[in-house]
């Protein structure tokens, strides 16, 4: 959308004149934290579904969850969920602290990029693990795993891809950029 010679009355401005790009970037950080929260919820659901399935699905007369190949994957999933949740909480807390003048924009930007990167990649991994544990049933529409796999991937892309998050993180670490 392009506007040429467009005048906006002062009362209709969203923020200060000339600060639109800064406002956009602030909104982007907020969105990254929100996307991270969605990813945490998706991963949590995959943990719950996978745990329940591994407890009730039997192979060779035993629940599949007794097998270390299955139980270790589910344990890893629990760790990813908790790490994602804590990174998201930290970013949200820093955002609240920024509103009270106790934190910097750079701190929030870094935390938002870190939580978005980790939690969305964890959500994709969570759905991959769930698909593995569910086996062929992981591809059947009667189980939620197939749909969540598609949903997780779009979270990884929205509000900046994983590659963009890595660029933001690296830049905030003071690494040189091209």
């Amino acid at each position: 959308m392009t506007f040429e010679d467009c005048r906006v009355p002062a009362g209709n401005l969203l923020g200060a004149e000339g600060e639109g790009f800064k406002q956009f970037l602030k909104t982007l950080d907020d969105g990254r934290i929100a996307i991270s929260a969605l990813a945490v919820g998706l991963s949590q659901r995959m943990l719950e579904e996978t745990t329940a399935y591994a407890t009730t699905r039997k192979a060779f007369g035993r629940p599949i969850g007794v097998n270390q190949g299955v139980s270790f994957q589910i344990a890893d999933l629990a760790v990813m969920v908790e790490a994602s949740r804590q990174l998201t909480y930290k970013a949200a807390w820093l955002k609240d602290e920024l509103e009270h003048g106790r934190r910097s924009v750079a701190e929030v930007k870094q935390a938002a990029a870190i939580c978005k990167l980790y939690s969305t990649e964890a959500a994709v991994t969570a759905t991959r693990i769930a698909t593995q544990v569910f086996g062929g049933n992981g591809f059947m529409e009667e189980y939620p795993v197939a749909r969540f796999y598609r949903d997780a991937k779009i979270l990884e892309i929205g509000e900046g891809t994983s590659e963009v998050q890595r660029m933001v993180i690296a830049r905030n670490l003071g690494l040189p950029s091209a």
Side-chain angles (χ1 to χ4, degrees), residues 31-44 88 119-120 123 155:
R32 287 176 177 154
I33 297 169
I35 292 288
S36 184
L38 290 170
V40 170
L42 188 151
S43 294
Q44 178 67 46
T88 303
S119 65
T120 59
L155 293 176

PDB file of all heavy atoms in Angstrom, residues 31-44 88 119-120 123 155:
ATOM      1  N   GLY A  31       4.779  -9.215  19.110  1.00  0.00           N
ATOM      2  CA  GLY A  31       4.281 -10.341  18.321  1.00  0.00           C
ATOM      3  C   GLY A  31       5.139 -11.586  18.484  1.00  0.00           C
ATOM      4  O   GLY A  31       4.628 -12.709  18.515  1.00  0.00           O
ATOM      5  N   ARG A  32       6.438 -11.396  18.595  1.00  0.00           N
ATOM      6  CA  ARG A  32       7.336 -12.545  18.776  1.00  0.00           C
ATOM      7  C   ARG A  32       7.064 -13.235  20.103  1.00  0.00           C
ATOM      8  O   ARG A  32       7.085 -14.460  20.200  1.00  0.00           O
ATOM      9  CB  ARG A  32       8.790 -12.089  18.679  1.00  0.00           C
ATOM     10  CG  ARG A  32       9.161 -11.756  17.252  1.00  0.00           C
ATOM     11  CD  ARG A  32      10.555 -11.209  17.121  1.00  0.00           C
ATOM     12  NE  ARG A  32      10.818 -11.000  15.688  1.00  0.00           N
ATOM     13  CZ  ARG A  32      11.670 -10.135  15.204  1.00  0.00           C
ATOM     14  NH1 ARG A  32      12.377  -9.375  16.027  1.00  0.00           N
ATOM     15  NH2 ARG A  32      11.842 -10.020  13.906  1.00  0.00           N
ATOM     16  N   ILE A  33       6.807 -12.457  21.134  1.00  0.00           N
ATOM     17  CA  ILE A  33       6.482 -13.045  22.439  1.00  0.00           C
ATOM     18  C   ILE A  33       5.144 -13.782  22.349  1.00  0.00           C
ATOM     19  O   ILE A  33       4.999 -14.888  22.888  1.00  0.00           O
ATOM     20  CB  ILE A  33       6.468 -11.961  23.540  1.00  0.00           C
ATOM     21  CG1 ILE A  33       7.873 -11.354  23.685  1.00  0.00           C
ATOM     22  CG2 ILE A  33       5.986 -12.541  24.871  1.00  0.00           C
ATOM     23  CD1 ILE A  33       7.931 -10.103  24.555  1.00  0.00           C
ATOM     24  N   ALA A  34       4.184 -13.200  21.665  1.00  0.00           N
ATOM     25  CA  ALA A  34       2.876 -13.847  21.503  1.00  0.00           C
ATOM     26  C   ALA A  34       2.990 -15.146  20.705  1.00  0.00           C
ATOM     27  O   ALA A  34       2.378 -16.164  21.072  1.00  0.00           O
ATOM     28  CB  ALA A  34       1.894 -12.888  20.828  1.00  0.00           C
ATOM     29  N   ILE A  35       3.762 -15.138  19.630  1.00  0.00           N
ATOM     30  CA  ILE A  35       3.969 -16.350  18.824  1.00  0.00           C
ATOM     31  C   ILE A  35       4.640 -17.424  19.679  1.00  0.00           C
ATOM     32  O   ILE A  35       4.304 -18.607  19.616  1.00  0.00           O
ATOM     33  CB  ILE A  35       4.825 -16.041  17.572  1.00  0.00           C
ATOM     34  CG1 ILE A  35       4.066 -15.158  16.590  1.00  0.00           C
ATOM     35  CG2 ILE A  35       5.310 -17.322  16.903  1.00  0.00           C
ATOM     36  CD1 ILE A  35       2.941 -15.832  15.847  1.00  0.00           C
ATOM     37  N   SER A  36       5.593 -17.000  20.499  1.00  0.00           N
ATOM     38  CA  SER A  36       6.271 -17.944  21.396  1.00  0.00           C
ATOM     39  C   SER A  36       5.268 -18.585  22.351  1.00  0.00           C
ATOM     40  O   SER A  36       5.329 -19.789  22.600  1.00  0.00           O
ATOM     41  CB  SER A  36       7.370 -17.214  22.165  1.00  0.00           C
ATOM     42  OG  SER A  36       8.097 -18.113  22.958  1.00  0.00           O
ATOM     43  N   ALA A  37       4.349 -17.795  22.879  1.00  0.00           N
ATOM     44  CA  ALA A  37       3.333 -18.334  23.785  1.00  0.00           C
ATOM     45  C   ALA A  37       2.451 -19.356  23.068  1.00  0.00           C
ATOM     46  O   ALA A  37       2.098 -20.399  23.646  1.00  0.00           O
ATOM     47  CB  ALA A  37       2.487 -17.198  24.361  1.00  0.00           C
ATOM     48  N   LEU A  38       2.103 -19.081  21.822  1.00  0.00           N
ATOM     49  CA  LEU A  38       1.337 -20.051  21.040  1.00  0.00           C
ATOM     50  C   LEU A  38       2.128 -21.346  20.874  1.00  0.00           C
ATOM     51  O   LEU A  38       1.574 -22.446  20.975  1.00  0.00           O
ATOM     52  CB  LEU A  38       0.991 -19.480  19.665  1.00  0.00           C
ATOM     53  CG  LEU A  38      -0.026 -18.351  19.626  1.00  0.00           C
ATOM     54  CD1 LEU A  38      -0.081 -17.722  18.234  1.00  0.00           C
ATOM     55  CD2 LEU A  38      -1.402 -18.869  20.027  1.00  0.00           C
ATOM     56  N   ALA A  39       3.421 -21.217  20.603  1.00  0.00           N
ATOM     57  CA  ALA A  39       4.269 -22.393  20.425  1.00  0.00           C
ATOM     58  C   ALA A  39       4.365 -23.206  21.718  1.00  0.00           C
ATOM     59  O   ALA A  39       4.367 -24.444  21.681  1.00  0.00           O
ATOM     60  CB  ALA A  39       5.656 -21.972  19.951  1.00  0.00           C
ATOM     61  N   VAL A  40       4.424 -22.518  22.858  1.00  0.00           N
ATOM     62  CA  VAL A  40       4.451 -23.221  24.142  1.00  0.00           C
ATOM     63  C   VAL A  40       3.167 -24.030  24.315  1.00  0.00           C
ATOM     64  O   VAL A  40       3.208 -25.210  24.698  1.00  0.00           O
ATOM     65  CB  VAL A  40       4.634 -22.241  25.323  1.00  0.00           C
ATOM     66  CG1 VAL A  40       4.410 -22.943  26.668  1.00  0.00           C
ATOM     67  CG2 VAL A  40       6.015 -21.608  25.278  1.00  0.00           C
ATOM     68  N   GLY A  41       2.038 -23.424  24.018  1.00  0.00           N
ATOM     69  CA  GLY A  41       0.767 -24.134  24.128  1.00  0.00           C
ATOM     70  C   GLY A  41       0.692 -25.345  23.216  1.00  0.00           C
ATOM     71  O   GLY A  41       0.228 -26.418  23.617  1.00  0.00           O
ATOM     72  N   LEU A  42       1.179 -25.192  22.006  1.00  0.00           N
ATOM     73  CA  LEU A  42       1.178 -26.304  21.054  1.00  0.00           C
ATOM     74  C   LEU A  42       2.085 -27.426  21.560  1.00  0.00           C
ATOM     75  O   LEU A  42       1.703 -28.595  21.550  1.00  0.00           O
ATOM     76  CB  LEU A  42       1.642 -25.808  19.681  1.00  0.00           C
ATOM     77  CG  LEU A  42       1.516 -26.781  18.531  1.00  0.00           C
ATOM     78  CD1 LEU A  42       1.300 -26.036  17.230  1.00  0.00           C
ATOM     79  CD2 LEU A  42       2.738 -27.664  18.413  1.00  0.00           C
ATOM     80  N   SER A  43       3.267 -27.071  22.026  1.00  0.00           N
ATOM     81  CA  SER A  43       4.198 -28.084  22.536  1.00  0.00           C
ATOM     82  C   SER A  43       3.630 -28.789  23.765  1.00  0.00           C
ATOM     83  O   SER A  43       3.765 -30.010  23.917  1.00  0.00           O
ATOM     84  CB  SER A  43       5.546 -27.442  22.885  1.00  0.00           C
ATOM     85  OG  SER A  43       6.181 -26.959  21.732  1.00  0.00           O
ATOM     86  N   GLN A  44       2.991 -28.020  24.645  1.00  0.00           N
ATOM     87  CA  GLN A  44       2.365 -28.608  25.834  1.00  0.00           C
ATOM     88  C   GLN A  44       1.301 -29.618  25.429  1.00  0.00           C
ATOM     89  O   GLN A  44       1.221 -30.715  25.988  1.00  0.00           O
ATOM     90  CB  GLN A  44       1.753 -27.510  26.709  1.00  0.00           C
ATOM     91  CG  GLN A  44       1.049 -28.030  27.949  1.00  0.00           C
ATOM     92  CD  GLN A  44       1.997 -28.652  28.947  1.00  0.00           C
ATOM     93  OE1 GLN A  44       3.034 -28.085  29.241  1.00  0.00           O
ATOM     94  NE2 GLN A  44       1.641 -29.810  29.468  1.00  0.00           N
ATOM     95  N   THR A  88       9.738 -17.740  27.386  1.00  0.00           N
ATOM     96  CA  THR A  88       8.603 -16.878  27.052  1.00  0.00           C
ATOM     97  C   THR A  88       8.207 -16.016  28.244  1.00  0.00           C
ATOM     98  O   THR A  88       7.965 -14.811  28.101  1.00  0.00           O
ATOM     99  CB  THR A  88       7.413 -17.724  26.563  1.00  0.00           C
ATOM    100  OG1 THR A  88       7.851 -18.512  25.441  1.00  0.00           O
ATOM    101  CG2 THR A  88       6.238 -16.851  26.141  1.00  0.00           C
ATOM    102  N   SER A 119      11.256 -21.505  21.085  1.00  0.00           N
ATOM    103  CA  SER A 119       9.944 -22.133  21.292  1.00  0.00           C
ATOM    104  C   SER A 119       9.299 -22.596  19.993  1.00  0.00           C
ATOM    105  O   SER A 119       8.636 -23.634  19.975  1.00  0.00           O
ATOM    106  CB  SER A 119       9.010 -21.201  22.057  1.00  0.00           C
ATOM    107  OG  SER A 119       8.717 -20.055  21.298  1.00  0.00           O
ATOM    108  N   THR A 120       9.488 -21.857  18.910  1.00  0.00           N
ATOM    109  CA  THR A 120       8.871 -22.305  17.656  1.00  0.00           C
ATOM    110  C   THR A 120       9.615 -23.494  17.059  1.00  0.00           C
ATOM    111  O   THR A 120       8.990 -24.405  16.519  1.00  0.00           O
ATOM    112  CB  THR A 120       8.761 -21.159  16.630  1.00  0.00           C
ATOM    113  OG1 THR A 120      10.058 -20.637  16.336  1.00  0.00           O
ATOM    114  CG2 THR A 120       7.838 -20.059  17.134  1.00  0.00           C
ATOM    115  N   ALA A 123       8.509 -26.386  19.045  1.00  0.00           N
ATOM    116  CA  ALA A 123       7.163 -26.832  18.668  1.00  0.00           C
ATOM    117  C   ALA A 123       7.213 -27.734  17.437  1.00  0.00           C
ATOM    118  O   ALA A 123       6.504 -28.746  17.366  1.00  0.00           O
ATOM    119  CB  ALA A 123       6.253 -25.627  18.415  1.00  0.00           C
ATOM    120  N   LEU A 155       4.211 -21.193  12.777  1.00  0.00           N
ATOM    121  CA  LEU A 155       4.691 -20.391  13.909  1.00  0.00           C
ATOM    122  C   LEU A 155       6.176 -20.076  13.754  1.00  0.00           C
ATOM    123  O   LEU A 155       6.635 -19.006  14.143  1.00  0.00           O
ATOM    124  CB  LEU A 155       4.461 -21.129  15.231  1.00  0.00           C
ATOM    125  CG  LEU A 155       3.014 -21.336  15.659  1.00  0.00           C
ATOM    126  CD1 LEU A 155       2.958 -22.157  16.940  1.00  0.00           C
ATOM    127  CD2 LEU A 155       2.295 -20.010  15.833  1.00  0.00           C
TER     128      LEU A 155
END
